[in-house]
Each structure stands twice: as C-alpha cells, then as structure tokens.
Amino acid sequence: MTLYAWALGLCLAAALVALLPTRAPAVLRPTGAPAAGGAVAERVRAATPTVGAITVVGGAVTAAAGALAAVAGVRAMLGHGWSAWLPDLLPLGGVRLALDPLGGLFTAVTGGVTVCAAIHGIGSGPARATRVVVPLFVAALLLVPAADGVGAFLFGWELMAMTSLLLVLAEHRERPSVRKAALWYAVMTHLGLVTILCGLCYLAAGAVGDGFDQLRVAELSPAARNVIFLTTLAGFAAKAGIVPLHVWLPRAYPAAPGHVSPLMSGAMVNMGVYGVVRVGLDLLRGGPVWWWWIVLALGALSALYGVLHAAMATDLKRLLGYSSTENMGLVLIGVGAAGFFAADGAGPLAALALTAALLHVVNHAAFKTLLFQAAGSVQRATGTRDLDALGGLRTRMPYTTALFAIGALCASALPPGNGFVSEWLLLQSLIHALPASGVAGAVTMPLAVGAIALTAGLAVATFVKAFGVGFLARPRGPGAERAAESPRTAIYGMALAAAACLFLALNPTLVLPALTEAVTEVIPAGRPVTGEVTLRLTTITGSISPILIALALAGAMVAVPALVGAVATRRVRRAARLWDCGAGPVSARMEYTATSFAEPLQRVFVDALQPESAIDVTAVKESAYLVRRVRFRARVPDRVERRLYEPVLAAAVRLGTGARRLADGSVHRYLSYGFYALTGVLIVLAVIS
Amino acid sequence: MVLQLLVVAAGAPLLVGLMRQIRARLEGRAGAGVRQPWRDLRKLVRKEAIAPHGTGWLFRAAPPLLAGTTLVVAAAVPLVTADSPLDGVADLFAVAALLALGSVALALGGLDTGTAFGGMGASREMTVLALVEPTILLAVFALSIRVGTTDLGAIVIATASSPLSLISPVSLLAAVALAVVTIAESGRIPVDNPSTHLELTMIHEAMILEYAGPDLALIEWASAMRLTVMLGLFAGLFAPFGIATAGAGPIALLVAVVAFAVKVALLGGVLAAGEVFMAKLRLFRIPELLAGSFLMALLAVAASFFLA
Amino acid sequence: MAEPPLERAKSPGVPELAGSVQIRHVDAGSCNGCEVEIASVFGPVYDAERYGARLVASPRHADALLVTGPVTRNMEMALRRTYEAVPEPRRVIALGDCARDCGVFAGAYGVAGAVGDVVPVDVEVPGCPPPPEAIIEALRGMTGR
Ligand code: SF4
C-alpha cells in the first residue's frame, strides 16, 4: 500500500520536476560590454537547472516509481494485497483502490517496463512536454489495474488514453505524419472508452454500488450479461490492438517518441487483456461458451493477421506494432481457451491456459520493451526506420545489435527464449483439451493449434528478417552508414530488459508460483504447473526444462568448436574478399532487403494479403519504344483498413458534406431548428404519456 | 544416451554416403563409396577457415550453433533408447523448435555475408520453415492424442507396446504429413536439390556458399546428423521396434543400434531412390506441397478425435 | 556402367586432401570443347566420382580449380579472384592445350595469356581437347585413389 502510494507520488513528482523552469542557453555577448543588470540575470541563470539535469532527475524519479510499483505488484501477487476507499477524491462513488494478485501482476509488469523506459529516456533528450506527460502516463497505467470500482477504473482508463494521446502527438512538429496517426489513435481509443463506459455503467446499474465487490454479486439477466461482455470486449480489444480494431497500432507506435513506444506496447496494450480477464472471468464470473469462442476466434485471427503483416512490413516499428497485435492475439487465444474450459467444467485445463496467457503477457512485455527501445535507438542513430535502408549496424552499434538479437530470439518463440516457454504452455493446454471437450472442442482446438503453429513459423521468419536485414551485412543507406552507438543510458535500459528476458526464459519456474496466485483468483483449480528446474504440468503429463535445454545447448556450443579445434591443423582464419563470382565488388545494392526477403512469403499468402504493385514506364520524347525510366512501386495495404474503415470514413465524410447544407449561416434557420426540435420533443412526450 | 549420440555422430556421414552411393548406382555410376563423406570431412577440417570481409561474430557462431542444436536434439530424441537423461527436459515441441533454431542460425550466417545469394538462401529457408513448422506441430498433436502427452519417449513406448494402433488413418495421415516435412526440412528433392550447382535454384546451399574448411565441415556434418535424426525420429514414431527401454542390457542396446541403423538406412535408401526418379519442384510450387501436408496433418487430428 | 576402380592410383595423390578433391571448374575462355569432355568425365561412363573427385558450386568449398581455355582479358581478374577465394591447400589444373600455352588462340588480341601466367599451375593436361582418360588420370593423381 505505502509502496504503491509512493510510486504514484513519485510519478507526480517527476511530472512536477519536468515543469521547473530551465536555464536558457548562455547568450554570447561581446566582451567588455556587460549589460545593465547582467550580474543579477547571471545569478538567476546559474540557479535554474539545465535541461540535462532535469531530464536526469525526472527520469531517475520515474524509474524509481516504476521499481516501487513493481515491488508493490509482486508483493500483491505473493498475498500482501490491500484495498482502500477514498470517498472524497471523486464525486459519486469516490475512489476505490485495491491490489489483488491479478492487478498486482499487471502493476508489476507496468513497473518493470517503466524502469527500462525511464532509464532509456534519460539519454534521448526528450522534449519538455514528453518529460511532463510520461510520468503521468505511468501513473495512469498504475491506476488502472489497481482500480477497485467503476469510477476509479474509468478515470484511470481515460487518463491513460489522454496522456498516451499527448505522447503520440509529441513529435508532430518534426514529422507531419504524426498528426494523422494521432487522429486515428484518438478516435479509436475514445470509441473504445465509450463502449467500456457503457458496458461498465450498465453493469454498475444492476448492482448496489460501483465497487467491484458489489459488481461480483450483482444479479443480472443473461441478456444483460451478454450485452455487458460484448460491449466491454470491444473496448478492451481496441486497446489490445486486436483485429479488426488494430488499425491505430501500427500508426501510433512509429509516431511515438523512442522511449514511449516501449511503454505503450509493453504496458498499455496489456490493459486490454486485463480488462477482458477482469470483467469476463472475474466480475461476470465466466459466461456461456460462445463468449469465449468469440475471444478465441478474435485471438487466432489477430495472431495470424498480425504476424502476416509483420512479416511483410519494412518499417521496423510498424513491424513491431503488428507483432504486438500478434502476441496479444496469442494471449487472447489463451484467455478464450481458459474461459471455454472453465465454462466446460475443465478447471485445471482452464487454469493452465490462463497461466500460459498471463505468462505470455509478462514475456511479451519484456521482449517488446527491449525491441522497441532498440528500434528507438536505431531511429535516433540513423534517422530512419526503414529496414530496406538500414543494415550494417553490427559494427556501428554493437551493443544495440547484440541486445536486439536477444529480443528477436525471444520474440520468435525459439528456445532458449522466453516466448518459447509461454507458447509451449499454451500449446499444451490446447492439445490436451481434445478428449475433454466435445465436438465443438474437436473443431476449435486443432484450428487454434494450427493458427498458433503458423504464427510461430511466420514469427521466426519475421524476426530473422528484422534482425538479419536490419542489423547484419552492410549499410544500404546514408543513415545506417553514419550510425553511432546509442547513449549509455539507452544501453542500460535495454540491458535491463534483456536481463529480464533471460531470467524469464531460464527460470520460468520461479515466476510461475506468483503467477498462479493471479490465476487461482479467477479460476480456483489448484496449481497447474510445478517444478523447480523442470517445468511439470500437474494434471497432464508434460514437462520441459528451459534451463537444462539452455545448458545443454551451451555445452554443445563449447564442445563442438573445441572438438574441431583439436582436429584442425590450420588454426589461422584467413581474411578474404567476399566471393563475388570473380566479377565484384559486391555492393550494398545487391543485398537482400526486407522487401525481397519477404517476397516469397508474400507470394505464398497472396490471397490473404492482396499486395499492390504499380509499374510506371516513362518513354523518351522522341519515341514511345525507348524507355527513359521505369518506376516500380509495391506495397501491402492493410486489408481490414481498406475494406472496413475506408467505406465507413467515406460515408462519414459524405454525410458531413451533406449536413453542411443544413447549416448555411442563416440565423432564422437555426432558430427554426430549435423551435421544431422543441415542438417535436413535446409532441413525442405527449404521445408517450 | 552417449551411445546414441555416438551412433548418430558417426553414422550420419555414412548415411549420406550410402544415399549418394544408391543414387550413383541407380544412375549407372560406380559411386565414391559409403565412406566418402567422412573423407570429405577429414579433409575439410584440415583446410583453413576463411573470414570474408564484412562478416562478424554471427557468421562464425552459426556453424557451431547449428551443430550444437543438432547434438542436443540427437540426445533428446528416442532413436536407440527411449530412456534419455534429457527425457522430460525436451519434448517434441522443443525438438521441433531446436531444429528451427539451427536453421535460423544458418540463415543469419547467410544474411551476415551481405551477398545476394546468402540473402536469397536465407529468405527461402525461412519461407519453407514458416510453412513446415505448423505441419510438424499438428502432426505431433495428432500423435500425442492417443498417448495423452507430447513426451517423445512416452509416445514411442506406447506405440511399441501396442503396434496395432499404428494401423489407423491417424497414423497414416500423420506419417504422410511428417514425411513431406522431413524431406523439406532436410533439403532433399523435390524441395531442394542438395547437389545443385545453380545458385538460383538453391535453398540450403545458397546460405553456405561463403563457408570454407572447418566451418563447412561442421555444417555438412550437422546437416547429415539432422537428416539422420529426422529419419530416425520418423522411424521411431511409426516403427518403434527394437528401441531399448529403461534398464536394457548391453544385448538389447546392441539390437537397438542395429535396428536403428537398418531402419534409417532403409528410409534413406527409399529417399535416395525416389530422388533419382523425381525432379525438383519449382520454388513457388513448394508451398502447395507443404500446404497439402498441412491439410493432411489437420485431417489426422480431426480423425484422431472422431475415431477415438 | 562404370565399375569400382580395380587398382589403386599410381601416384600417392596430395596427402593433405586424402582421397577427397572438390573441384571448381573455371572456363577462362574455352571453346567449350574441353567442357564436353569434363561433362563425360563425371558421367556414367568414366565416373570420376568413384575416385573421390566431385564438382562443387563455390570456390570456398573447393580444393582445386579446373581451368580450361586461354585466359581472356575479361576473365583474367576473375580467375585470379577465384584462386584467391579457394582456401589453402589449393591446387590448379590447367586443362587442354589452350590452358597450357594458349593453343590455337596464341597471340589473339583478346587473350591475356596461358593459365600459368595468371595463377600458379600444379598439373597440366595436354590435348585439344584432352581425352577423358587423361583427365581422369590427372584427377587420380590428386586424390590418390
Ligand atoms: S584446348 Fe581445344 S577444346 Fe579445349 S578449349 Fe582449347 S581449343 Fe577448345
């Protein structure tokens, strides 16, 4: 409790620190001509802190807040939860706060991400507005999982939406594309808020108060529960970037400053999952099977759609954004399966599926924080996020490259990465569902496994592309050519996230007991996973030991070169030209780019992706047969956006232009509108009563 | 397990030699002899390694990583004995993922050179991998339903104790799907031609064009082991006869080694003979083949439910 | 159909290669007569593979270069670079009269010289084109089988 309060307080303090006036840059004056009052001005100037100092202090305070929040969250998961009611803080119900294991988990994740992002942000010299808003954003992120009443929850949610919107807008002066991204984000996030607001208020209307405890015991008709679940699901899905509500995500991440996108993708999207679990499994205490089919189907769709677009993307942050959609999809598959099993009466399986989903939330937060930080560093160093124009960063940014490699390994769900562990758990829970669940399960589960499997394969290709094309080989653009290693704080931030990834990858058995507390809170079915070195499933036979696999791999990696070294006779490695077929030299233009790397996959999935390409041939003036220039353009548009959003937007625009005719500037007409409206209402009321 | 590792490590090049010999005989040639791959390896480690300009630690780390993942897999899979100390450490998913990790290492090594061929090979390998992965997982799913676990040793022991369960549509469909996948993963015709000289048709070879000497030896050895392990796994899943169980005596182990060698040699022979009479598929027809195997695996899962 | 070799090669071969020679073929400007003979050397009738020789795609994988034709000016640099790309120990076989001393192309304006003028040659196989037996003999001299 005190820890949590301190964390919130530190966030506010960090925001206040950033508001302090800063020292103006020293003005060069011709010597020998001291201006009147110069001495006083000089003393004032010396007393005000520099921008650098404020950034350092603000970042450090935010990081401390994150650390405290992480500790508070972990303590809550270990059973030291608390609750508080501050009746005077907000009108109506007041503010109810509580930290139970489930909320504690999300608080801890947010705290961890905050520490990394805040440390990273110190060196990147963020603008003043960003410095002020980031701590507030963190405070909002901490508020949502700790809310114990509808009022506090919605307040935190709206604060989170507003502050993140400001952060997305932060660099609108430098890049005009940011404004459009922010517009998309603003609309999507607030539509989501509206649906959540409606759903939760409907729920609260059926209960005696707005506290979660009161909502849990509310007596509602099945129809009302359906409406509540579906409306809140829509809102939470929009926050989690679930297809078809994901459109803001690949836009907003590239637009946000370097150290903000880790916060958004590592901490904020999780809140969507939190909402679904809290409302669906906790407040509404599960529901009919078809709810969870919808969740599962949305998850599978998002996983596939997200990873396909990530595999095609050439913009590094866009790629990572789509990958967030993919991972949130995997999490929702787990949540959906958990709800499905719980509704089916298979408690232990449900607990396993939910454990897998929550572990994946933690893992995703860890590696995505790392990857987004690295992407931010790359963008700062090279001025571009286009993988086609990157390359060759291995020699120029060695630390960033190595750290990105760790993140990419984890994100591609290969051992010994952390993503592998949670996907393994998820697959186990689905595979063993078959005998238990009837025909419905027999149709759903194989498809879900197929979707996860296809996602896993494509994720490998995606991250080989991101790492291999972006960081290895030689630079393909001037930005990559001039790149230099990122500032030290950025490396520390990334190293911290990488350490978390490795810890989660090797010792999931240390994390899982705490995690099961959060699971048993909503699905009381005992511990699904046990073991210290080896991860053992309790209700079904299945075990794996990430740390032993890693050790075996490491042993083999040491033994094999030693063996070769023992039998080899020539020890010296000769440096030589690249084999260029004798014609050379090999230039960077001959390298495979991200586009060419993804081309075979694009061909395979041509029906799903529907890529567009255009060839313009410009002929010389004299003859149409002599070509002067050929331009080739190819892009993979977002189909959902094209088919679903553009018609709606076009209709809205048409409606708007049509409605403009109603408002032609004539005051008489406006007065008559008022008159007719009033009369209309009166007539209607008269008829009704 | 040590015995199994040794058998795989020593036997894998012999398997490749045997397959080349069978091909040569069917093409009317005398062939270089079964031991030729070992001679090649001996020579390669005596040659110098080369560090092409512009390549770095990843280029160097890729061959040991490939060999390392393969060794771990060879230790974890029940080939000779179902009683591996790595049992319970790695199951079928982990094995599939470890094999994928090896491919990834090689693809990154190819990308690190920055040559067009390296990138081309990496891109194609990843495409094939992305399509192979789902099939493997679904086939595993189908096979594990009967036994109730994805633990490899358990599956093999269960099948060996009731061989009649093999004669079912589930096993048949899963076997066909896994066969296609095995061919694709080990880079054999019709997916990839291991003896091509034309860079534009290469998948696996294109990634390793820059490797020389001991590095190349490691890659060739690891590739041979991967082929052996996959054929052995296939044999173990669908013909688990002779595999030693826990606490088996030396005679049982000897029988197991012989049975393993015979099974793998037989499968390798069939594969080699098939290659002589078949042409490589066009690169962009390969996804159709793999999609077919994916469907087969999905049907296997569905069948396993409705027949269970 | 070729039979397994009856007797061992007369020469002990290159000891470091120990019965395995991977060959990268370089056409430095040949009339393609020599290539026809090489093709038949690796075909079913002569089957050089039974002596441990194999053609490979990359010079990095090769132990020996099999160079045919006079070295034309366009191929001079390429030949030198190919030689550089082969890891030690490496050998060069000059195949055909053109490769040995420019043969019928001696003095032509596009010819830079014989193979020996560009890279060090270890084995020469005379003939225009050399008969497959002679090529086999040269290869066996390297593999020692
Ligand atoms: S030696 Fe004779 S066959 Fe060979 S390239 Fe020269 S001219 Fe042609």
Side-chain angles (χ1 to χ4, degrees), chain A residues 522-539:
Chain A
V522 285
I523 300 175
R527 301 173 120 209
V529 189
T530 58
E532 271 145 21
V533 176
T534 307
L535 214 77
R536 275 183 209 290
L537 309 181
T538 43
T539 45

Side-chain angles (χ1 to χ4, degrees), chain B residues 16-26 29-34, chain C residues 4:
Chain B
V16 172
L18 178 76
M19 290 176 68
R20 283 204 197 134
Q21 192 67 18
I22 289 173
R23 282 191 70 165
R25 276 306 160 108
L26 287 175
R29 293 187 289 113
V34 175

Side-chain angles (χ1 to χ4, degrees), chain C residues 30-34 69 96-98 104-105 127-129:
Chain C
S30 142
C31 79
N32 273 8
C34 288
D97 287 345
C98 292
V104 290
F105 300 109
C128 175

Side-chain angles (χ1 to χ4, degrees), chain A residues 304 330 423 427 447-459, chain B residues 129-130 132-138 294:
Chain A
L304 280 178
L330 290 177
E423 282 197 22
L427 281 171
L447 286 178
V449 171
I452 296 178
L454 198 56
T455 309
L458 286 170
Chain B
L129 181 84
V132 160
E133 192 92 348
T135 311
I136 296 187
L137 292 190
L138 274 187
F294 179 69

Side-chain angles (χ1 to χ4, degrees), chain A residues 258-281:
Chain A
H259 66 296
V260 174
S261 14
L263 270 176
M264 292 180 70
S265 125
M268 190 180 74
V269 289
N270 296 347
M271 294 308 157
V273 176
Y274 171 75
V276 174
V277 174
R278 177 64 85 195
V279 173
L281 285 174

Side-chain angles (χ1 to χ4, degrees), chain C residues 8 11 14 18 22 36 63 67 82 87-88 92 100-101 108 110 120:
Chain C
R8 291 195 68 77
S11 86
V14 183
Q22 254 87 307
V36 174
D63 312 302
V67 191
T82 311
E88 294 273 10
V92 176
R100 292 171 63 223
D101 53 10

